[in-house]
């Protein structure tokens, strides 16, 4: 079977970095571009980080398209306390060899979608996807499926109601949820089942590869943040769940839903509402509900081990 043509819309982000490396190392996927959006840090930084990650992986064949600098709904905030001031754990990086394209992210996605069927994976706020739908409504005819990381059925991680990617731009999420396309949503209830531990950090270091070293180094402060926040060093692999879903569509159990987003409310702005009533069992919108972490971690380890070693 031909690999799935894929664009990753992203705000790197430490867990974005793992997801991107997993995608680049997976023969089931043909990663055409990283399109960047404001989110974990400002757009300037997420775009630089996309270039850094592709340079690290020596993948100058993958395009970088700069997307939206501001949420549709106005100013929200970043997650630099989780991902570092630079978004990738504040390491020092060489000047990236991979350049940014002149083409803007929205036009890039639209052009590549019209060339052949395309899968869109969004692992940051949904501003670019919403702008794409507004600017080019016919794009839905060319998109095979959309898989996003975002939302929560039960509890958010920025506020009790809202998960970060949705909280940044609830208006954009509402537009994307209402889009006439096949949509799979990987919410916190699922992504918290997928995590790495200190054993996996040791595994990454032992790979003796540039990719392994860098990922281990940027995951270290991510573990520290989690320890201070909730008392354990679990490295939650939020964004990798969206990539895992495309690599193996049977791995994550999903449920048909009606999905909506709160765009107002005193405490509820950015809350996602997933109705899992039997009426929606066959809905084109589904949420991920269950994943087997050991199987995921084994696949991730195998794939990351394919990056070349240092000597
Ligand atoms: C999401 O928020 C970001 O900080 C992560 O990269 C992930 O996409 C998890 O809530
Ligand atoms: Ca992200």
């Amino acid at each position: 079977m031909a690999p799935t043509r894929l664009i990753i819309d992203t705000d790197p982000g430490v867990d974005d970095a793992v997801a991107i490396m997993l995608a680049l190392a997976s023969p089931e996927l043909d990663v055409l571009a990283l399109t960047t959006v404001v989110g974990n840090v400002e757009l300037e930084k997420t775009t630089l980080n996309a270039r850094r990650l592709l340079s690290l992986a020596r993948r100058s064949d993958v395009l970088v398209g700069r997307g939206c600098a501001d949420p549709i709904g106005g100013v929200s905030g970043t997650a630099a306390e989780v991902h570092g001031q630079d978004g990738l754990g504040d390491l020092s990086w060489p000047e990236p060899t991979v350049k940014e394209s002149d083409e803007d992210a929205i036009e890039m996605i639209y052009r590549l979608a019209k060339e052949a069927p395309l899968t869109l994976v969004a692992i940051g706020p949904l501003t670019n996807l919403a702008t794409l739908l507004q600017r080019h409504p016919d794009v839905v005819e060319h998109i095979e499926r959309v898989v996003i990381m975002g939302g929560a059925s039960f509890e958010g991680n920025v506020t009790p109601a809202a998960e970060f990617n949705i909280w940044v731009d609830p208006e954009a999420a509402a537009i994307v949820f209402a889009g006439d396309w096949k949509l799979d949503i990987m919410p916190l209830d699922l992504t918290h089942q997928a995590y790495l531990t200190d054993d996996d950090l040791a595994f990454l270091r032992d790979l003796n590869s540039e990719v392994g070293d860098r990922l281990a180094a940027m995951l270290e402060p991510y573990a520290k943040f989690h320890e201070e926040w909730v008392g354990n060093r679990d490295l939650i692999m939020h964004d990798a769940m969206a990539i895992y879903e495309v690599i193996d569509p049977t791995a994550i159990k999903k449920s048909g839903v009606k999905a909506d987003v709160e765009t107002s409310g005193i405490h509820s702005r950015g809350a996602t509402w997933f109705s899992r009533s039997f009426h929606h069992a066959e809905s084109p919108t589904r949420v991920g509900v269950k994943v087997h972490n050991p199987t995921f971690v084994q696949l991730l380890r195998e794939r990351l081990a394919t990056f070349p070693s240092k000597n």
Side-chain angles (χ1 to χ4, degrees), residues 3-32:
T4 301
R5 294 176 82 242
L6 186 80
I7 291 181
I8 305 175
D9 191 71
T10 176
D11 61 337
V14 172
D15 65 315
D16 302 67
V18 179
I20 288 165
M21 291 303 172
L22 171 62
L24 294 175
S26 290
E28 299 86 350
L29 310 182
D30 178 11
V31 183
L32 305 176

Side-chain angles (χ1 to χ4, degrees), residues 11 13-16 40 79 82-83 123-124 149 157 163-165 188 222 238-239:
D11 61 337
V14 172
D15 65 315
D16 302 67
N40 286 321
V82 186
H83 298 268
I123 54 178
M149 187 281 132
N157 57 2
E163 180 278 331
F164 180 77
N165 288 340
L188 291 180
Y222 188 69
H238 301 287
D239 291 342

